[in-house]
Amino acid sequence: MGGRFDIVNWRSQDFLSGDSLSQQQESFSPRVGIVYQPIGAISLYASYSKSFLPPQFVTFEEISQPERGTQYEVGIKTDLSEQLAATLAFYDLTRSNVSTSDPNNPLRSIQVGKQRSRGIELDLSGEILPGWNIIGGYALTDTEVIEDNTFEVGNQFANVPKHSASLWTTYEIQSGSLQGLGFGVGIFYVGDRQGDLDNTFELPSYLRTDAAIFYERERFRAAVNFKNLFDVDYFESALNQNNVYPGDPFVVQGTISWQF
């Protein structure tokens, strides 16, 4: 069990007229969680929490309201074997006073009424064989506006796909003169999603492939990462119809590190 108490003071002043606007906002955010382990390999959990985020924009005419959220989550964590673990989670998150782009003025932000996001997340990770590791996940996300004076109730969130998945695997040579040399490859899928909260256009789904070559020995590590290996054209996100951001093309990044 835990909790947090926030006190936020805002003051906006017009130096030409001398007028000022001030406001104090307070909130208590509780957090409660419980874990039950019926057998050694399985853990059941549930949690409840509330959140408070201070205003993100302030003008002389108006001080925006803080964003507030309520989240419920239940799930199960299990060891499928000594090498493989999985987590399955169900969550429901409701937020109010969320700041978003004004559909009538892209340079201005407005606060919507209430938004709800709920879904299922499945994660899988482990070492299948010595040196061979995998990390995978799938998410089913259902989003909607549930109360608003600007956007239509039932609209989906911007830039949030209903389906997304990823699978990343690496293998590191365990012995011999090439010990420490490793290779990795991963695929990332992002489904169709809305481009704005008004749901006037849609961003298409995409499948991106990444890869890596790395070498580790004691405190030394060097790696070359390849993002978007096949140079796929895709859209990463959108702010509105006039601001749609493409994903990175084929990128090569090299890193060298030494741990002291």
Side-chain angles (χ1 to χ4, degrees):
M1 299 178 63
R4 170 175 171 154
F5 186 72
D6 289 271
I7 302 176
V8 181
N9 290 282
W10 290 97
R11 186 169 184 265
S12 180
Q13 183 172 355
D14 187 332
F15 290 103
L16 296 179
S17 66
D19 296 333
S20 63
L21 179 67
S22 62
Q23 182 174 316
Q24 178 172 300
Q25 298 163 342
E26 304 173 355
S27 179
F28 175 70
S29 305
R31 301 177 182 123
V32 180
I34 185 171
V35 177
Y36 173 62
Q37 193 173 23
I39 60 175
I42 294 179
S43 296
L44 307 175
Y45 73 91
S47 68
Y48 164 80
S49 63
K50 296 183 73 69
S51 63
F52 171 87
L53 183 66
Q56 299 302 293
F57 62 92
V58 178
T59 67
F60 174 70
E61 294 81 10
E62 176 187 12
I63 296 179
S64 63
Q65 294 300 308
E67 178 182 314
R68 301 178 185 271
T70 302
Q71 177 170 306
Y72 302 89
E73 182 175 339
V74 295
I76 178 172
K77 299 181 179 181
T78 178
D79 294 326
L80 302 177
S81 68
E82 293 184 357
Q83 293 79 28
L84 204 59
T87 301
L88 180 64
F90 305 84
Y91 69 91
D92 187 298
L93 170 63
T94 301
R95 299 192 302 168
S96 59
N97 300 326
V98 182
S99 298
T100 187
S101 176
D102 187 344
N104 299 315
N105 183 0
L107 300 179
R108 186 177 182 272
S109 294
I110 60 175
Q111 289 185 287
V112 300
K114 287 185 179 181
Q115 298 180 354
R116 181 175 61 199
S117 174
R118 53 188 177 185
I120 302 171
E121 293 184 352
L122 173 64
D123 296 304
L124 185 69
S125 63
E127 187 175 22
I128 300 177
L129 295 172
W132 183 13
N133 293 274
I134 64 165
I135 300 175
Y138 167 76
L140 172 63
T141 309
D142 180 32
T143 64
E144 64 175 333
V145 175
I146 58 177
E147 182 182 310
D148 200 82
N149 293 324
T150 304
F151 300 98
E152 184 176 348
V153 172
N155 279 9
Q156 299 176 23
F157 294 5
N159 302 308
V160 180
K162 186 170 185 178
H163 302 280
S164 61
S166 65
L167 178 63
W168 177 260
T169 181
T170 62
Y171 177 73
E172 182 178 336
I173 298 174
Q174 300 295 291
S175 61
S177 59
L178 296 178
Q179 181 180 357
L181 178 64
F183 308 88
V185 64
I187 55 175
F188 302 87
Y189 171 77
V190 176
D192 298 337
R193 58 235 186 264
Q194 297 296 327
D196 61 7
L197 198 56
D198 214 19
N199 289 185
T200 58
F201 70 103
E202 192 173 76
L203 300 178
S205 62
Y206 67 86
L207 181 67
R208 193 189 78 228
T209 303
D210 294 353
I213 301 174
F214 57 90
Y215 178 75
E216 292 184 272
R217 206 64 180 261
E218 296 179 349
R219 293 180 291 177
F220 174 78
R221 177 181 171 86
V224 179
N225 292 85
F226 306 92
K227 183 178 180 180
N228 196 2
L229 188 62
F230 300 112
D231 200 21
V232 174
D233 293 327
Y234 68 95
F235 295 109
E236 185 80 45
S237 62
L239 181 62
N240 49 55
Q241 289 185 344
N242 300 318
N243 295 273
V244 180
Y245 305 105
D248 291 334
F250 174 55
V251 176
V252 180
Q253 180 182 26
T255 58
I256 297 177
S257 63
W258 181 273
Q259 184 178 358
F260 295 94

